[in-house]
Amino acid sequence: MASEITYAEVKFNKTPPPANPKASSKKETPLSLFQRIPFWFPWVMSGILMLLSIALLICIFVPLRGWQTKTFLKSLPQNSTNLHCLLETEQKLSCCKEGWKLFQSSCYYFSTATQKSTWNNNELKCMEMKSNLVVINVEAEQDFLINQTKNLRETNFCIGLTEQEKKGEWRWVDRTTINSTRTFWREREPSEGDEHCVVMHIEGRPENKNNWNNVRCSHDSHQYICESKTFVFDCGF
């Protein structure tokens, strides 16, 4: 008996490939511009801006300081090339012209032995230098003047003190009257007579601060001491 052949229908179902896990994930959102900036970037920018600010301040104030200096120099008397200065505070500079001595808030000029004349002529010489014969207000000022002249030979320096029409009334060139507690007369001075002008009699004895002597105003053998205010320079901005 012949064998029977059995046919079976076999169906193959097409199985889809496994899903790609990467493809199935959601698409990432791109980072914004600020999110992509490194954390150190703001600090670097702050430093740069600070340096630019400092440079700007220098550019502004250095020319200003130069302008202040030029203005100050223009205010000085003519022929003032060199200055002797003292820094009184952080922002205040006091200066005197060349050849003048600085003490506290005043400048002093001591004439030489070849510059001798009468009291009135000496006062005119001081006025030509925009000053006056010295006015002595305190003991420290008297000490300063003595110290500046202690090495000189015997001589007289005119100071800004004269006797008025009223006998015994002494007045300074700035019109202030003499203070009896701040006088430095020599012994037995002031003397009587027509001696109405006052000099400092220098005799090489710096320990003796009482050296005022009244003399005739017409005597032409006296040197002189001029006094003026210092030139104040404001160093602040």
Side-chain angles (χ1 to χ4, degrees):
M1 180 178 182
S3 60
E4 293 181 1
I5 299 174
T6 302
Y7 294 91
E9 184 177 359
V10 178
K11 293 183 179 182
F12 297 93
N13 292 327
K14 189 175 182 180
T15 304
N20 188 348
K22 292 184 179 180
S24 63
S25 62
K26 292 183 179 180
K27 188 175 182 181
E28 295 183 357
T29 303
L31 296 175
S32 64
L33 175 63
F34 294 103
Q35 290 175 323
R36 292 200 300 269
I37 295 176
F39 73 93
W40 46 262
F41 184 78
W43 297 100
V44 173
M45 291 302 299
S46 297
I48 293 175
L49 290 175
M50 183 178 294
L51 292 176
L52 290 175
S53 300
I54 294 174
L56 180 61
L57 290 174
I58 293 175
C59 292
I60 292 175
F61 288 116
V62 168
L64 177 60
R65 189 179 184 87
W67 174 81
Q68 288 179 325
T69 303
K70 292 179 181 178
T71 303
F72 166 66
L73 293 176
K74 288 181 180 179
S75 69
L76 295 176
Q78 296 297 320
N79 302 323
S80 297
T81 55
N82 294 324
L83 298 174
H84 175 54
C85 300
L86 175 66
L87 188 63
E88 295 187 3
T89 66
E90 292 183 356
Q91 296 185 344
K92 184 180 178 181
L93 189 68
S94 295
C95 301
C96 293
K97 295 176 290 183
E98 182 181 12
W100 291 62
K101 303 295 184 180
L102 175 62
F103 177 71
Q104 294 182 350
S105 59
S106 293
C107 301
Y108 300 85
Y109 176 79
F110 297 82
S111 70
T112 63
T114 60
Q115 298 172 301
K116 292 183 178 181
S117 188
T118 65
W119 190 98
N120 290 327
N121 285 340
N122 288 338
E123 169 65 358
L124 289 175
K125 291 177 183 178
C126 289
M127 294 177 66
E128 290 175 356
M129 294 187 288
K130 299 182 179 180
S131 62
N132 290 103
L133 286 174
V134 61
V135 175
I136 304 171
N137 294 309
V138 294
E139 183 175 351
E141 188 175 17
Q142 173 76 359
D143 292 340
F144 165 77
L145 299 176
I146 292 175
N147 186 61
Q148 294 296 318
T149 57
K150 64 182 180 180
N151 295 324
L152 299 178
R153 294 183 179 180
E154 186 169 333
T155 186
N156 291 330
F157 281 89
C158 291
I159 63 176
L161 185 63
T162 57
E163 187 177 29
Q164 305 304 298
E165 293 183 2
K166 183 180 178 180
K167 191 67 175 177
E169 181 183 347
W170 299 90
R171 191 179 295 272
W172 294 104
V173 290
D174 63 0
R175 310 310 300 166
T176 57
T177 56
I178 194 171
N179 188 330
S180 59
T181 62
R182 297 175 182 171
T183 59
F184 303 94
W185 295 105
R186 297 176 67 193
E187 188 177 357
R188 294 187 294 275
E189 299 290 347
S191 56
E192 300 292 334
D194 58 350
E195 299 178 338
H196 306 300
C197 293
V198 181
V199 298
M200 290 183 66
H201 180 65
I202 308 302
E203 53 185 352
R205 295 175 58 191
E207 70 280 359
N208 182 15
K209 66 178 61 182
N210 296 319
N211 59 7
W212 294 2
N213 185 29
N214 60 321
V215 297
R216 291 181 179 179
C217 298
S218 58
H219 282 183
D220 59 358
S221 59
H222 306 310
Q223 294 177 237
Y224 55 93
I225 303 174
C226 301
E227 179 183 8
S228 69
K229 292 295 183 182
T230 56
F231 303 101
V232 179
F233 179 41
D234 185 5
C235 305
F237 294 116

